[in-house]
């Protein structure tokens, strides 16, 4: 008689049993941690770093500012609000991609429809290749977010089987939700303080960096699609979109500026371009680093754009009344 | 397919049960097919290179054993292997240097750069092949009659991409031995894999976020930040590479194969740079010792010859790591460390006080970290930038956000366990603990990977070599 290929000995049973036990305990711990962290995280309404989404979707403001670090550091919501007479919330966050902005908008629209959004477009190029889609906690609750995350990573549906993946690296943010302290809603603006030292060398540039070459390595072209989709979602919800390119120290022009200009022209979106504004260009006192204004610079910029927005909103109201 | 990826998990879930279902006489063929598939997934065209290298080296081994013109055959085979490395790894560097010379002499000659992507693992399997041929040439082992065994020795998937650089005398007998499903192999294998993944995902990839942020823009950071990043890079490299090795050793154990130990807690227990090199990347260091140092220098030689041997060994080690002056300088620095230590008798005293031992450990770590700057920074200009920042006087620290906090927690666990393990490996150390402690450790490591690990992190650093 032929020998069997494989005998199911006690070692096989022990390995399988222990593997299943390990998996079962890990799964259970995952569920426990998920419930504990999500309970704390979703309570956060602002003032805690890393909880910008949960803070944003609780806001009921008229105007929201979208973007990455330049958006977050340059738009003083209070000042803009004073000029326009509308409530303003700064929803921008460090390193966030156009896919994140789209996801955040869909999450926001579940709760509230703003009157207008200001999109800081100077951030886009820097986040196209490496900007994150930090929407994980909303994977289970929002279909659009789920689609965005599944598109980003084809294995995300497996990773999200383990529920703590949704709160991967957010455990401290969640715990801070339990601690006493500043958790009340604020205006979202996070200023930078200090300025560039005189000894730091700065390379000044004029004109465009290069052609709109989105096929270059590292650039995720689907992010451009997300940017376009963001505008479509705003259009379909009758939310006014405003593009702004906040001041730069070096007169930097994003590679994709031509694309943004063409979209602005096509969709009749107002575009406030401060990228080469001579009040800011080369003025080290107004910048914390090459890409970011400090609080003084942000105040100056917010006053200026606030004035322009006031005029824009007034004109629009007039047009609507007529 | 990275060890820390979902496709690899599926690959392993298919391969391991099938391996034990396949009849004994076909197990090695099965493992070879799986290994080739694994390598094919890395880059299909480079599988041809691996197949060609295997065939030529096996043919050379056959000719070497026949005894006719052994030396010619050896030279030919060494030329072939070194030529492969040169063609794929060093050609553009060499051309660049030639262009520089032509430019200096104002010659109107320009050699264009070739578009070559380094085949993953070429440095590792080429060294294994060279070691095999030299063993046969010196009569230390006989050629294996079975071509599959030789092919598997070079292509065994857990070690082909980043080592450890195995030895034929240790690996091939394990392939030949009857493979039986053993509980111990699986428990030790899973332990090593878990520990390796923890080091990679929680420590190395989180540290990488900080280190990359600093070194990619060093001029904008303070003195203190760059110094901290220098030390953290040393930890990142260790956690990354030793993590990879642990996972590789763990996977091999699932097939009943014991791969060579590559690290013996180099950072917390080394009392000199010499000691560090006895504990760090052991498979490469011992390869150079056995196939370069001893054959060229011998064992009982004078001091000068010994130093020349050390210099040769570490210069080659630098070149092995990459084509560039930074790697060569790194090798030179290591050789200088070792020579100076030998001259000053550092680390040779026994029964030193706790304070002296700690001082030696700390100074070793600092020296190694400084040397690793040459490893991390791509050009001399970058190194000058970093040196300028370090020579400056700005002491505000870039905190780097949550990733650094998570890395610090993981690093503390790794260093603490390394301290206790000393020369033991994780599987041996934890295997000796009570059941409750073992399971508490497994679950803590697993949950830390899920909660604080940089799950969507980077590729293993040593893939570039």
């Amino acid at each position: 008689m032929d020998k069997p290929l494989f005998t199911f000995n006690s070692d096989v049973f022990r390995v399988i049993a222990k593997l299943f036990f390990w998996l079962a305990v890990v799964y259970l711990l995952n569920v426990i941690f998920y419930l504990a962290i999500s309970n704390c995280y979703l309570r956060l309404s602002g003032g805690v770093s890393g909880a910008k989404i949960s803070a944003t979707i609780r806001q009921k403001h008229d105007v929201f500012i979208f973007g990455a670090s330049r958006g977050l550091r340059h738009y003083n919501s209070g000042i803009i609000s004073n000029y326009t007479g509308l409530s303003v919330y700064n929803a921008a966050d460090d390193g966030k991609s156009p896919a994140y902005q789209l996801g955040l908008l869909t999450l926001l629209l579940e709760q509230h429809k703003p009157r207008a959004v200001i999109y800081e477009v100077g951030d886009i190029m820097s986040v196209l290749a490496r900007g994150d889609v930090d929407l994980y906690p909303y994977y289970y609750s929002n279909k659009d977010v789920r689609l965005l995350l599944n598109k980003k990573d084809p294995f995300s549906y497996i990773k999200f089987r383990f529920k703590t993946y949704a709160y991967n690296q957010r455990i401290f943010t969640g715990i801070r939700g339990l601690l006493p302290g500043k958790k009340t809603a604020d205006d979202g603006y996070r200023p930078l303080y200090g300025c560039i030292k005189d000894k730091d060398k700065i390379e000044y540039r004029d004109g465009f960096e290069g052609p709109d070459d989105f096929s270059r390595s590292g650039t995720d072209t689907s992010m451009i699609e997300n940017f376009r989709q963001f505008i479509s979602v705003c259009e379909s919800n009758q939310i006014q979109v405003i593009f702004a390119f906040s001041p730069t120290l070096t007169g930097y022009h994003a590679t994709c500026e031509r694309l943004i200009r063409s979209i602005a022209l096509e969709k009749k979106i107002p575009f406030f371009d401060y990228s080469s504004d001579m009040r800011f260009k080369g003025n080290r006192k107004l910048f914390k680093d090459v890409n970011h204004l400090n609080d003084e610079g942000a105040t100056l910029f917010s006053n200026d754009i606030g004035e322009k927005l006031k005029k824009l909103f007034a004109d629009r109201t007039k047009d609507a009344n007529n | 397919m990275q060890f820390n990826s979902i496709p690899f998990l599926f690959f392993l879930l298919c391969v391991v049960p099938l391996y034990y279902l396949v009849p004994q006489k076909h197990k090695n063929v099965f493992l070879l097919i799986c290994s080739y598939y694994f390598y094919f997934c890395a880059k299909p065209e480079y599988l041809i290179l691996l197949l060609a290298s295997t065939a030529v080296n096996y043919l050379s081994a056959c000719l070497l054993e026949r005894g006719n013109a052994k030396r010619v055959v050896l030279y030919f085979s060494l030329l072939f292997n070194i030529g492969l490395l040169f063609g794929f790894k060093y050609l553009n560097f060499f051309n660049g240097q030639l262009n520089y010379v032509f430019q200096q002499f104002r010659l109107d000659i320009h050699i264009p750069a070739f578009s070559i992507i380094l085949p993953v693992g070429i440095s590792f399997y080429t060294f294994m092949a060279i070691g095999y041929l030299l063993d046969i040439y010196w009569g230390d082992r006989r050629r294996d009659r079975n071509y599959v065994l030789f092919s598997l020795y070079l292509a065994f998937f857990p070690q082909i991409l980043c080592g450890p650089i195995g030895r034929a005398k240790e690996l091939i007998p394990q392939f030949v031995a009857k493979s039986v499903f053993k509980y111990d192999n699986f428990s030790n294998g899973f332990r090593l894999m878990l520990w390796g993944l923890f080091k990679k995902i929680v420590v190395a990839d989180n540290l990488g976020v900080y280190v990359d942020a600093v070194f990619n823009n060093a001029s904008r950071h303070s003195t203190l930040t760059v110094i901290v990043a220098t030390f953290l890079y040393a930890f990142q490299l260790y956690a990354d590479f030793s993590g990879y090795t642990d996972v590789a050793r763990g996977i091999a154990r699932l097939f009943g194969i014991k791969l060579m130990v590559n690290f013996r807690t180099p950072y917390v227990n080394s009392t000199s740079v010499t000691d560090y090199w006895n504990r760090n990347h052991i498979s490469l260091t011992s390869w150079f010792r056995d196939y370069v140092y001893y054959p060229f220098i011998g064992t009982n030689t004078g001091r000068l010859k010994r130093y020349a041997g050390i210099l040769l060994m570490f210069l080659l080690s630098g070149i092995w790591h990459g084509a560039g002056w930074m790697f060569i300088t790194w090798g030179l620095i290591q050789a200088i460390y070792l020579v100076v230590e030998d001259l000053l008798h550092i680390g040779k005293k026994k029964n030193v006080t706790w304070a002296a031992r700690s001082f030696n450990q700390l100074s070793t770590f600092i020296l190694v970290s400084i040397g690793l700057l040459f490893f991390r920074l791509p050009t001399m200009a970058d190194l000058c930038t970093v040196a300028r920042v370090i020579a400056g006087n700005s002491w505000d620290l870039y905190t780097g956000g949550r990733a650094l906090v998570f890395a610090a927690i993981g690093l503390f666990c790794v260093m603490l366990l390394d301290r206790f393990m000393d020369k033991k490996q994780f599987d041996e150390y934890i295997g000796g603990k009570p059941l409750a402690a073992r399971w508490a450790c497994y679950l803590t490591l697993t949950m830390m990977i899920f909660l604080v690990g940089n799950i969507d992190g980077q590729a293993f650093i040593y893939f570039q070599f």
Side-chain angles (χ1 to χ4, degrees):
Chain A
M1 203 173 81
D2 284 346
K3 271 176 35 182
L5 283 178
F6 182 77
T7 41
F8 197 82
N9 63 27
S10 61
D11 275 4
V12 178
F13 177 75
R14 275 177 80 190
V15 168
I16 293 172
K18 288 210 172 177
L19 259 180
F20 270 103
F21 178 72
W22 173 75
L23 270 175
V25 177
V26 166
Y27 190 80
L28 190 70
L29 286 173
N30 257 280
V31 173
I32 293 167
F33 273 103
Y34 169 76
L35 291 173
I37 302 170
S38 64
N39 191 33
C40 303
Y41 183 88
L42 298 175
R43 274 190 208 173
L44 295 170
S45 55
V48 178
S49 162
K52 198 66 190 264
I53 319 168
S54 62
T56 301
I57 60 176
R58 285 163 180 267
Q59 310 302 322
K60 309 280 181 200
H61 293 278
D62 300 318
V63 180
F64 282 76
I65 291 147
F66 283 78
S69 61
R70 287 163 53 80
L72 179 65
R73 316 293 183 180
H74 294 185
Y75 295 79
N76 188 324
S77 322
I79 293 175
I80 297 169
S81 183
N82 287 343
Y83 274 98
T84 55
L86 300 168
S87 62
V88 180
Y89 185 79
N90 190 327
D93 201 2
D94 288 332
K96 298 295 185 281
S97 65
Y100 169 89
Q101 314 295 346
L102 174 62
L104 182 62
L105 180 67
T106 57
L107 286 168
L108 180 66
L109 288 172
E110 281 182 352
Q111 315 288 333
H112 166 70
K113 195 173 93 172
R115 190 175 148 183
V117 298
I118 303 168
Y119 201 123
E120 166 58 44
V121 293
D123 274 333
I124 285 182
M125 203 58 206
S126 62
V127 293
L128 279 182
R130 54 186 171 78
D132 63 48
V133 192
D134 199 5
L135 298 158
Y136 292 15
Y138 299 90
Y139 182 87
Y140 302 108
S141 59
N142 186 290
K143 198 180 106 202
D144 295 317
V145 168
R146 204 156 45 241
L147 280 172
L148 277 171
L149 291 174
N150 285 343
K151 204 169 155 188
K152 184 195 159 219
D153 178 3
F155 295 105
S156 61
Y157 67 95
I158 296 172
K159 291 176 181 171
F160 279 101
R161 295 289 116 199
F162 291 92
K163 291 199 156 190
T164 47
Y165 182 63
Y167 289 96
N168 175 238
Q169 300 209 323
R170 279 182 186 82
I171 184 164
F172 292 145
T173 311
I175 289 170
R176 270 187 279 179
L178 286 177
L179 300 174
K182 191 187 173 192
K183 286 194 286 282
T184 50
D186 54 17
D187 61 8
Y189 166 61
R190 297 279 180 277
L192 291 170
Y193 298 100
C195 59
I196 298 179
K197 290 168 195 143
D198 290 340
K199 61 178 183 177
D200 291 341
K201 273 188 183 173
I202 307 293
E203 191 188 327
Y204 292 96
R205 288 170 292 190
D206 277 311
F208 292 103
E209 267 205 325
D212 289 350
D213 183 9
F214 301 115
S215 61
R216 71 179 185 178
S217 67
T219 303
D220 184 353
T221 46
S222 69
M223 290 293 178
I224 305 286
E225 281 313 303
N226 291 321
F227 179 62
R228 285 182 182 278
Q229 212 180 325
F230 181 95
I231 297 157
S232 304
V233 172
C234 287
E235 273 180 344
S236 57
N237 284 281
Q238 288 154 342
I239 301 165
Q240 185 182 359
V241 184
I242 298 147
F243 287 167
F245 198 138
S246 57
T248 62
L249 181 65
T250 59
Y252 166 80
H253 287 248
T255 309
C256 58
E257 194 184 321
R258 273 193 282 255
L259 173 88
I260 292 159
R261 279 192 189 283
S262 69
I263 294 174
L265 212 64
E266 178 195 329
K267 305 275 183 187
K268 294 191 176 103
I269 296 170
F271 185 11
F272 300 121
D273 187 0
Y274 285 78
S275 60
S276 293
D277 192 307
M278 294 314 288
R279 285 170 297 173
F280 295 91
K281 190 178 172 184
N283 192 344
R284 290 166 181 249
K285 283 183 183 168
L286 300 178
F287 287 84
K288 168 68 181 166
D289 56 51
V290 182
N291 293 320
H292 301 105
L293 291 165
N294 58 22
D295 190 41
E296 194 187 336
T299 305
L300 189 65
F301 165 65
S302 301
N303 274 307
D304 203 273
I305 200 168
E307 186 74 51
K308 287 182 179 170
L309 287 168
K310 180 185 168 186
K311 193 170 174 299
L312 179 83
F313 290 135
D315 289 348
R316 293 279 158 129
T317 315
K318 219 184 280 173
D319 287 351
N321 291 340
N322 292 338
Chain B
M1 262 193 290
Q2 299 248 13
F3 285 171
N4 53 341
S5 68
I6 302 270
F8 182 76
L9 179 70
F10 285 126
F11 172 76
L12 206 60
L13 282 174
C14 296
V15 171
V16 175
L18 284 173
Y19 175 76
Y20 285 99
L21 288 170
V22 167
Q24 182 65 39
K25 63 178 176 183
H26 300 308
K27 278 192 196 306
N28 287 331
V29 177
F30 174 74
L31 215 47
L32 182 63
I33 293 167
C34 294
S35 297
Y36 281 154
Y37 173 73
F38 176 79
Y39 196 70
F40 176 86
C41 291
K43 192 133 180 101
E45 45 274 46
Y46 289 134
L47 178 61
I48 299 163
L49 193 71
L50 174 64
L51 293 170
S53 171
T54 308
V56 172
N57 281 305
Y58 189 74
L59 184 71
S60 304
C62 296
L63 294 171
L64 271 177
E65 211 180 40
R66 280 190 188 166
N68 301 329
K70 275 172 79 167
R71 187 168 288 203
V72 177
V73 175
L74 180 75
Y75 286 161
F76 167 78
S77 53
L78 288 181
L79 200 68
F80 169 77
N81 283 302
I82 294 166
L84 264 190
L85 273 183
F86 181 82
F88 283 94
K89 206 168 172 178
Y90 306 108
L91 188 62
N92 279 334
F93 171 67
F94 186 74
N95 287 347
Q97 301 310 303
L98 273 182
N99 283 333
Y100 178 75
V101 172
F102 294 150
Q103 206 182 353
Q104 293 305 306
F105 286 97
R106 298 177 184 209
L107 295 171
D108 192 21
I109 305 169
H110 181 80
I111 308 168
F114 296 98
S115 166
I116 303 168
I117 301 168
L118 180 73
V120 191
I122 189 168
S123 310
F124 292 90
Y125 70 71
T126 303
F127 266 41
M128 286 173 72
I130 293 174
Y132 185 87
L133 295 172
L134 286 172
D135 282 347
I136 292 174
Y137 179 74
W138 290 328
D140 289 347
R141 70 171 288 112
R142 290 183 64 79
R143 172 182 65 92
D144 292 278
R145 304 280 155 201
N146 190 336
Y147 184 73
V148 171
L149 279 180
F150 176 73
S151 308
L152 188 56
Y153 160 69
L154 290 187
F156 186 42
F157 77 87
Q159 66 168 21
I160 191 172
L161 300 183
C162 287
I165 302 168
R167 303 296 176 86
K169 65 177 178 200
E170 286 159 7
L171 266 179
I172 293 180
Q174 294 188 69
F175 293 136
V176 175
K178 192 180 177 199
S179 178
V180 183
F181 191 103
K182 280 186 187 158
Y183 173 78
D184 282 350
N185 280 339
F186 275 80
S187 61
N188 287 324
F190 283 128
R191 277 174 201 153
L192 281 170
M193 285 164 69
L194 184 61
W195 183 231
L197 287 173
F198 175 81
K199 283 201 260 189
K200 168 68 181 160
I201 296 170
V202 177
V203 184
D205 284 352
N206 276 327
L207 282 178
V209 174
Y210 185 87
V211 172
D212 288 350
V214 176
F215 284 133
N216 291 348
N217 224 337
S219 60
R220 288 194 192 157
H221 288 280
S222 70
T223 305
L224 183 62
T225 302
V226 172
I227 291 172
V228 168
T230 303
F231 294 134
L232 291 182
Y233 177 65
F235 285 122
Q236 185 202 352
L237 187 68
Y238 167 63
D240 192 282
F241 193 26
S242 72
Y244 173 89
T245 308
D246 284 337
V247 178
R249 293 183 65 237
I251 294 164
R253 281 300 288 272
L254 301 184
F255 302 98
I257 307 292
K258 283 185 184 175
L259 293 183
M260 192 175 180
V261 170
N262 217 8
F263 293 90
R264 290 195 192 277
T265 62
Y267 282 151
V268 288
N269 290 313
S270 300
T271 51
S272 63
V273 180
T274 313
D275 189 20
Y276 168 81
W277 279 111
N278 286 325
R279 293 167 173 274
N280 186 64
H281 205 170
I282 299 166
S283 66
L284 181 71
T285 317
S286 62
W287 192 97
F288 276 115
R289 187 194 60 211
D290 295 344
Y291 297 108
V292 177
Y293 183 90
Y294 286 149
F296 283 98
I297 308 297
T299 43
N300 295 316
T301 54
R303 187 174 270 187
L304 217 62
K305 208 172 171 190
R306 210 166 65 234
Y307 294 160
I310 291 171
L311 187 67
L312 173 71
M313 191 171 135
F314 278 98
L315 277 181
L316 286 177
S317 179
I319 294 168
W320 179 87
H321 277 94
W325 290 110
M326 295 298 274
F327 288 112
I328 295 169
T329 316
W330 169 80
L332 187 70
I333 289 170
Q334 301 306 310
I336 292 169
Y337 284 161
L338 264 65
V339 170
V340 171
E341 276 186 359
D342 191 70
L343 283 168
L344 301 177
H345 302 285
I346 294 169
K348 286 183 180 170
K349 279 184 192 165
K350 306 263 176 194
N351 304 323
V352 289
T353 59
W354 177 86
R357 191 181 156 81
S358 302
F359 175 78
N360 285 346
Q361 286 169 342
L362 186 68
S363 53
T364 302
F365 174 68
I366 293 170
L367 288 174
V368 168
S369 304
I370 293 168
L372 285 174
L373 273 179
F374 289 85
F375 220 82
R376 172 63 179 78
L377 300 168
T379 62
M380 265 323 167
D382 293 313
L383 187 77
C384 290
T385 307
V386 165
R388 257 200 309 275
V389 175
I390 291 176
N393 187 25
S394 48
W395 301 100
D396 48 326
L397 181 67
Y398 165 61
T399 52
R402 59 193 180 187
L404 190 61
V405 179
F406 300 140
I409 297 167
L411 190 60
F412 176 75
C413 299
V414 171
M415 290 299 127
L416 194 70
L417 270 172
D418 270 10
R419 184 83 198 173
F420 289 128
M421 289 192 304
D422 194 12
K423 290 196 171 175
K424 278 187 178 172
Q425 293 296 298
F426 180 76
D427 54 331
E428 299 158 354
Y429 178 76
I430 209 75
K433 298 287 164 208
L435 182 78
R438 282 203 308 268
W439 275 89
C441 182
Y442 305 151
L443 293 172
T444 307
L445 293 178
T446 313
M447 288 316 294
M448 278 183 78
I449 290 173
F450 278 115
L451 291 171
V452 301
N454 188 347
I455 292 176
D456 305 313
Q458 309 156 342
F460 288 95
I461 293 173
Y462 259 70
F463 276 13
Q464 62 185 295
F465 306 131

